[in-house]
Amino acid sequence: MSDFKEFRAEVRDWLAENCPEEMRTPMSGFSDACWGGRKFKFESKAQEQWMRRMAEKGWTVPTWPKEYGGGGLSKEEAKVLASEMKRIKARSPLSSFGIWMLGPALLKFGTHEQKLEHLPPIARGEIRWCQGYSEPGAGSDLAALQTKCEDMGDHFLINGQKVWTSYADKADWIFCLVRTDPKAKKHEGISFVLFDMETPGVEAKPIKLISGRSPFCETFFEDVKAHKHNLVGELNKGWTIAKYLLTHEREMIGGMGGDDMRPISEIVAGTVGLVDGKLPDAMLRAKVAEAEVDEWSYMLTMQRKLAEAKAGASLGADSSMLKYYGTELNKRRYELMMDAAGHDGLEWEGARSNDGDLARTWLRTKGNSIEGGTSEVQLNIISKHILRMPGA
Amino acid sequence: MGLVLTEEEKMISEMAEGFFADKAPAKQLRELRDNRDETGFNRGLWGEMAEMGFAGVLIDEEHGGSNMGFMEAGLIAEQMGRNLTASPFISTAILAATALNKGGSKEQKTEWLPKIASGETIMALALEEGRKHNPAATNMSAERSGNGFKLNGQKGMVIDGHVADQYIVVARTSGEAGNMDGLTLFLVDPKTKGIAIERTQMVDSRNSARIEFEDVEVNADAVLGEVDKGGDVLKAIVNAGKAAIAAELLGTGGEAFRQTTDYIRERKQFGVEVGSFQALQHRSAHLYSELEICRSAVLMALTAMDMDATGSELPVAMAKAKLGSVSKLAGLEGVQMHGGVGMTDEYDIGLYLKRIRVAQELFGDANYQMEQIASMKGY
């Protein structure tokens, strides 16, 4: 324990010196996040400084091995770092699908060469990744994917279409599920390949959402050539990696509190104000208390399940439970924020509402229980794999 | 942080699981009910629970207890909940032991704690006076009289009050109803002149009592803790009760759910198992999720109790709130998803629904807890 005390002091000093003041304020939305990549424009000097300094320490990906650009920290040390960052309200230095998704998959399934090639640029915020999973005919039923990938001897040839590709128009590379054996059963015959979004034949078209924003794209591949050394894992065994990542994604979406991590009571009280120390609307007050109990219990459940998984029990289908519950909870949270904001929350444009940020984020949360498998699909998974219901 | 059981805790939990399933399954409650048993629980069972160290779970070794702690007490309560076990565990091992631990003088501890741990003495907390849990509203009076006090008033929902060997009575020595200041706790012998006890059979086939106190004289040494300052000890007692009931409800709700899913996996209608219908699957999966969430809340509340942090009130209220509402859902869905047989006395699911209705009410239902949470958090 004393080691951590020392480490904590070190971290604290380093953060005090290296985290710019501007990076110690809450982000007003996902748009404030630092995503990195070739096309990314830093919002401010401070944002760039903060990312570079953290990347140099390996602390954009604290637990990854040092040789791959990480900090080589143990989980306990990473916790210390996270809590020290939280203490000074430091923003996340770098957000990316490379960090959250591809990285963990490569660390588990990639070759040493693949890790050396792809992980350090993720850690340094140089390459931004997107995920090519869903297709027009393969949403909840992901394994029905049709994007064709042919072995042409010295390269792969890819043809097909993806949809709901997050930030494909802003990404540099894609990790993509493709069908390499059309004759095999649907879960077999899928492979996991990586390629550059600048490869000729790749086109990403943003989809406009109900929020008016376009975080997702339709992505088209026409005779796209990919290097064969960028096949991750074995040919036709990509579903294993896909499943691993889906589990990971569910945890991530489930755990996404949104941009504003303050307790819901604090947000609501800040919006409507207190009268005699109470929220004046008794029904709203009750709903807030209920949501707070659920958020607290849910957060503990995330911790408990991850601790159990670490102790050897596989998280398995419980990731569906976490995803289901967490996303429904997040939707409730934004409903309450909209209830509290009333007329003000309905503004769509203008500086007063930061261009309708609350309303747009509220609309965005509606997708939480659809993406990564709908709530209904998660309930099916729980029924089948945990409750072992007949015919499920 | 106590969210994952240690090997030792797992052992206690498994031991309790086996013990209650074997010695005190739901069948025992049915027998007690059908025989209109005068005690309302099995005294032999309570003796065995004492031998197992369950009665002295919160009592230190110096006073003959097993001193296992709150996490263990919760794990035991969970298994009792699972089996609908009737016993003085809550009234005596949790409430009375906490009262003496927190408020008892050296002499009182020496006199009573070993008798609780050995199973010899059953104690009951005489707190509630109204329809709903509301300790501050205590109206029962204790006026100074000679060398001691004179108690006047009435109490209800005194769990095990019909068989207790000793009461812990909450009375007002000063101040007005609505205030936690001015409350004093007394150790009172039920046989004292002026006490009238009415056993009340409750919907869950357990027992409690309504008690009238008319000019009941007690000595000054009957005071547990300090005069007028019983509020803090009372809060600790109530907190302990909430945590233990939340843990019990985790077992009760969880078992109601287990029996329900077992049933719908087998029951056939329209030529198929009804469990193959998505309408039931999704509700089951939702309930599974809620119960998993509940387990974390209970574990955290128990951990907070063991840390004896003054900060345990919030997590305990949160756990009791969550368990109150989810266990109710488990009971309601249980009966509904059993269909017709869920309405029959033959099936156990109704017994679970009834116990949940009582337990969720004890020490404040979910609405009460949420009101407390909002106040504690300043909104």
Side-chain angles (χ1 to χ4, degrees):
Chain A
M1 283 309 275
S2 61
D3 292 346
F4 291 131
K5 223 178 199 172
E6 234 168 72
F7 179 70
R8 187 177 290 277
E10 249 172 64
V11 169
R12 192 172 286 192
D13 289 348
W14 189 88
L15 287 175
E17 199 162 312
N18 288 285
C19 182
E21 280 305 322
E22 299 98 301
M23 292 293 107
R24 302 184 193 193
T25 53
M27 291 195 262
S28 69
F30 252 175
S31 51
D32 271 359
C34 176
W35 291 94
R38 296 176 197 142
K39 299 171 197 161
F40 186 71
K41 295 223 169 20
F42 289 101
E43 210 181 42
S44 63
K45 260 246 139 57
Q47 189 186 42
E48 183 172 2
Q49 250 178 3
W50 177 224
M51 187 199 81
R52 294 209 189 290
R53 286 174 182 170
M54 285 292 275
E56 211 167 296
K57 284 289 256 187
W59 285 357
T60 50
V61 283
T63 57
W64 290 9
K66 280 191 174 163
E67 61 174 328
Y68 304 135
L73 301 189
S74 67
K75 292 221 163 124
E76 289 74 19
E77 288 169 330
K79 260 192 202 163
V80 171
L81 172 60
S83 77
E84 283 303 311
M85 284 174 65
K86 197 174 167 193
R87 198 181 59 82
I88 62 166
K89 300 195 172 69
R91 292 185 189 185
S92 165
L94 181 60
S95 305
S96 90
F97 293 104
I99 294 178
W100 300 324
M101 310 202 57
L102 179 65
L106 274 184
L107 284 169
K108 193 169 168 73
F109 300 100
T111 61
H112 177 61
E113 289 70 29
Q114 287 171 334
K115 291 177 197 171
L116 272 184
E117 180 183 349
H118 296 296
L119 294 179
I122 292 173
R124 292 194 297 264
E126 290 165 5
I127 293 294
R128 180 169 177 179
W129 287 83
C130 62
Q131 166 183 270
Y133 270 32
S134 295
E135 296 182 7
S140 289
D141 182 13
L142 181 61
L145 61 94
Q146 297 291 338
T147 292
K148 198 162 80 176
C149 175
E150 294 164 277
D151 189 342
M152 306 303 280
D154 62 339
H155 66 273
F156 288 132
L157 191 68
I158 298 167
N159 279 285
Q161 183 194 343
K162 295 286 172 184
V163 74
W164 303 120
T165 330
S166 303
Y167 303 114
D169 55 331
K170 299 184 173 72
D172 307 309
W173 276 66
I174 186 167
F175 52 98
C176 198
L177 288 179
V178 292
R179 187 156 298 283
T180 35
D181 183 354
K183 288 189 202 104
K185 281 192 228 154
K186 73 176 181 181
H187 292 94
E188 296 157 19
I190 293 172
S191 299
F192 191 96
V193 294
L194 319 173
F195 52 92
D196 194 319
M197 290 294 279
E198 279 175 14
T199 317
V202 179
E203 190 190 0
K205 281 189 191 163
I207 304 166
K208 190 171 176 181
L209 298 186
I210 51 177
S211 64
R213 291 172 177 160
S214 303
F216 301 111
C217 292
E218 290 179 288
T219 312
F220 301 91
F221 310 122
E222 199 187 331
D223 290 335
V224 174
K225 287 183 185 174
H227 291 291
K228 283 173 77 172
H229 71 258
N230 278 325
L231 167 75
V232 181
E234 279 176 61
L235 194 72
N236 297 327
K237 296 279 161 64
W239 187 247
T240 315
I241 308 174
K243 264 198 312 195
Y244 170 78
L245 270 183
L246 279 175
T247 307
H248 215 78
E249 185 186 20
R250 276 175 207 141
E251 285 162 31
M252 200 178 84
I253 298 173
M256 239 168 23
D259 315 325
D260 195 337
M261 299 296 286
R262 286 180 296 162
I264 183 67
S265 61
E266 202 179 313
I267 298 175
V268 172
T271 306
V272 307
L274 300 177
V275 177
D276 298 328
K278 281 185 182 183
L279 288 172
D281 177 340
M283 288 302 288
L284 178 64
R285 180 169 178 258
K287 284 183 187 169
V288 166
E290 209 167 25
E292 213 149 62
V293 168
D294 287 353
E295 287 187 356
W296 176 78
S297 311
Y298 175 72
M299 181 207 62
L300 292 171
T301 307
M302 291 275 288
Q303 291 174 16
R304 179 165 71 85
K305 289 291 170 185
L306 292 177
E308 283 173 3
K310 228 189 288 171
S314 152
L315 189 53
D318 266 339
S319 66
S320 289
M321 180 271 290
L322 294 173
K323 198 272 175 182
Y324 162 66
Y325 207 92
T327 54
E328 295 297 337
L329 208 49
N330 202 39
K331 288 200 297 183
R332 251 168 78 197
R333 180 180 174 89
Y334 275 87
E335 287 296 328
L336 285 172
M337 282 159 74
M338 287 296 281
D339 288 348
H343 299 155
D344 294 347
L346 304 174
E347 292 195 19
W348 189 247
E349 288 178 348
R352 189 172 38 243
S353 65
N354 192 11
D355 276 334
D357 191 56
L358 175 59
R360 290 170 195 264
T361 311
W362 160 71
L363 286 163
R364 174 64 187 87
T365 61
K366 301 305 165 209
N368 292 166
S369 51
I370 299 170
E371 60 205 310
T374 60
S375 281
E376 290 72 19
V377 165
Q378 307 308 333
L379 293 173
N380 286 345
I381 293 173
I382 296 169
S383 295
K384 180 176 179 175
H385 294 286
I386 298 177
L387 303 178
R388 289 188 304 283
M389 285 296 163
Chain B
M1 279 284 270
L3 289 171
V4 181
L5 297 187
T6 63
E7 284 308 312
E8 209 171 322
E9 288 161 353
K10 255 185 232 163
M11 226 175 65
I12 299 274
S13 175
E14 279 162 22
M15 188 173 76
E17 188 182 359
F19 178 85
F20 289 110
D22 181 35
K23 308 269 180 179
K27 199 166 76 119
Q28 187 182 69
L29 181 74
R30 281 183 184 277
E31 282 164 12
L32 292 165
R33 178 193 71 174
D34 296 344
N35 300 336
R36 304 190 70 80
D37 186 273
E38 276 185 26
T39 312
F41 60 86
N42 185 311
R43 282 191 188 270
L45 173 77
W46 183 236
E48 285 187 71
M49 285 174 70
E51 275 168 35
M52 298 283 285
F54 294 171
V57 66
L58 298 182
I59 296 170
D60 57 25
E61 280 117 7
E62 188 192 336
H63 292 101
S66 57
N67 201 22
M68 288 193 264
F70 240 96
M71 178 59 79
E72 286 75 2
L75 296 172
I76 294 165
E78 181 189 352
Q79 295 306 326
M80 294 178 62
R82 212 164 264 293
N83 291 287
L84 297 176
T85 306
S87 90
F89 184 73
I90 297 284
S91 63
T92 304
I94 301 292
L95 301 173
T98 302
L100 285 155
N101 280 338
K102 297 285 174 186
S105 65
K106 207 171 162 223
E107 290 73 26
Q108 288 166 332
K109 285 183 183 173
T110 310
E111 180 174 5
W112 296 110
L113 287 176
K115 288 183 187 163
I116 291 177
S118 69
E120 187 186 335
T121 294
I122 290 163
M123 289 202 178
L125 176 71
L127 164 64
E128 308 293 358
E129 296 179 11
R131 285 179 298 107
K132 304 290 276 187
H133 172 69
N134 189 356
T138 298
N139 201 27
M140 173 156 174
S141 71
E143 285 171 41
R144 286 205 186 264
S145 159
N147 200 19
F149 294 85
K150 197 184 273 179
L151 307 183
N152 274 292
Q154 42 193 317
K155 295 287 181 182
M157 201 71 223
V158 181
I159 306 165
D160 297 323
H162 63 304
V163 285
D165 305 302
Q166 198 72 19
Y167 292 150
I168 294 165
V169 180
V170 183
R172 186 164 290 290
T173 35
S174 71
E176 279 170 24
N179 208 325
M180 286 297 276
D181 291 331
L183 296 181
T184 304
L185 307 185
F186 296 92
L187 276 162
V188 181
D189 185 333
K191 292 194 265 318
T192 314
K193 201 175 138 222
I195 294 180
I197 305 164
E198 178 200 345
R199 174 185 182 182
T200 45
Q201 280 276 10
M202 307 309 266
V203 68
D204 60 347
S205 306
R206 316 255 183 131
N207 307 278
S208 66
R210 284 175 183 259
I211 307 173
E212 288 201 36
F213 295 79
E214 201 186 337
D215 291 332
V216 175
E217 309 246 5
V218 293
N219 288 333
D221 61 10
V223 172
L224 187 71
E226 282 180 70
V227 175
D228 286 347
K229 295 199 177 115
D232 287 342
V233 178
L234 180 58
K235 272 188 194 168
I237 300 171
V238 166
N239 218 31
K242 282 184 197 178
I245 293 284
E248 182 190 327
L249 281 171
L250 182 64
T252 321
E255 177 62 16
F257 177 65
R258 193 193 63 77
Q259 291 185 6
T260 304
T261 47
D262 275 1
Y263 181 77
I264 65 172
R265 256 186 238 113
E266 303 289 328
R267 164 74 174 168
K268 283 194 173 169
Q269 286 286 275
F270 308 105
V272 293
E273 297 89 354
V274 296
S276 65
F277 298 135
Q278 208 172 42
L280 299 193
Q281 289 179 355
H282 282 193
R283 279 156 59 195
S284 302
H286 172 72
L287 198 46
Y288 167 81
S289 307
E290 288 284 16
L291 286 163
E292 281 295 318
I293 302 289
C294 279
R295 176 166 302 279
S296 318
V298 167
L299 290 172
M300 195 61 201
L302 296 170
T303 304
M305 290 298 294
D306 272 331
M307 285 158 68
D308 197 31
T310 30
S312 68
E313 263 181 65
L314 185 60
V316 167
M318 285 186 144
K320 180 66 169 52
K322 189 66 192 152
L323 267 293
S325 47
V326 172
S327 63
K328 258 162 84 172
L329 183 67
L332 294 170
E333 287 285 64
V335 170
Q336 176 66 22
M337 287 161 76
H338 269 78
V341 300
M343 292 298 293
T344 65
D345 186 62
E346 184 190 341
Y347 276 73
D348 282 347
I349 190 68
L351 297 177
Y352 283 85
L353 176 77
K354 290 188 269 191
R355 175 57 190 166
I356 289 166
R357 179 34 86 174
V358 173
Q360 62 85 35
E361 183 72 48
L362 298 175
F363 306 112
D365 58 16
N367 291 344
Y368 173 90
Q369 307 304 337
M370 285 191 291
E371 163 69 40
Q372 296 279 306
I373 290 161
S375 299
M376 278 189 257
K377 297 199 78 171
Y379 63 89

